[in-house]
Amino acid sequence: LVERAHSMERERSAHHAQGQSREGGEEANEQGQNREAKAWLAVSHLDLRMTGLRGLDCAQLAATLQCCSGLTFLNLGCNGLSAAALAKGLGSCSGLTHLDLCSNSLKPADIRSLVQVLRNDL
């Protein structure tokens, strides 16, 4: 899921960087991406436990989480995540009621900063 969201972001970036016009297949491709982005809005339960996510994956994960405004359950346990980029993504998860971050590379200060981010969204 994270890789697909990252792929969508790369496609969007490439589209804007090349200044392509909205004609034919390009417009259809953009409409498909819009439908996929709307589908992310409907995601309420995301279990990425033990998926091998590491520090560099946090930026991709943050971008994905920013599309998941309806997310209520998120399990990221048993990965190698860090707090900095993760906080950016969690900032858009105002409806989150369950968050599992067990067995990650998070220090007490990291947990405090993530809690602060989540409190600011309440």
Side-chain angles (χ1 to χ4, degrees), residues 14-37:
H15 176 75
H16 291 293
Q18 295 174 1
Q20 297 174 344
S21 65
R22 292 183 169 194
E23 296 178 7
E26 293 171 1
E27 187 173 334
N29 185 34
E30 186 171 312
Q31 289 173 351
Q33 289 176 349
N34 287 339
R35 279 192 300 274
E36 193 165 328

Side-chain angles (χ1 to χ4, degrees), residues 9-20:
E9 184 61 33
R10 281 194 311 259
E11 290 171 9
R12 253 185 263 134
S13 295
H15 176 75
H16 291 293
Q18 295 174 1
Q20 297 174 344

Side-chain angles (χ1 to χ4, degrees), residues 29-87:
N29 185 34
E30 186 171 312
Q31 289 173 351
Q33 289 176 349
N34 287 339
R35 279 192 300 274
E36 193 165 328
K38 288 178 183 177
W40 277 110
L41 292 173
V43 172
S44 63
H45 186 105
L46 189 56
D47 191 341
L48 297 173
R49 178 177 41 99
M50 297 179 63
T51 53
L53 295 173
R54 298 283 176 238
L56 295 175
D57 297 320
C58 283
Q60 295 171 2
L61 179 60
T64 301
L65 292 176
Q66 289 175 343
C67 298
C68 298
S69 60
L71 195 64
T72 59
F73 177 95
L74 179 59
N75 187 345
L76 298 171
C78 303
N79 286 294
L81 300 175
S82 61
L86 188 55

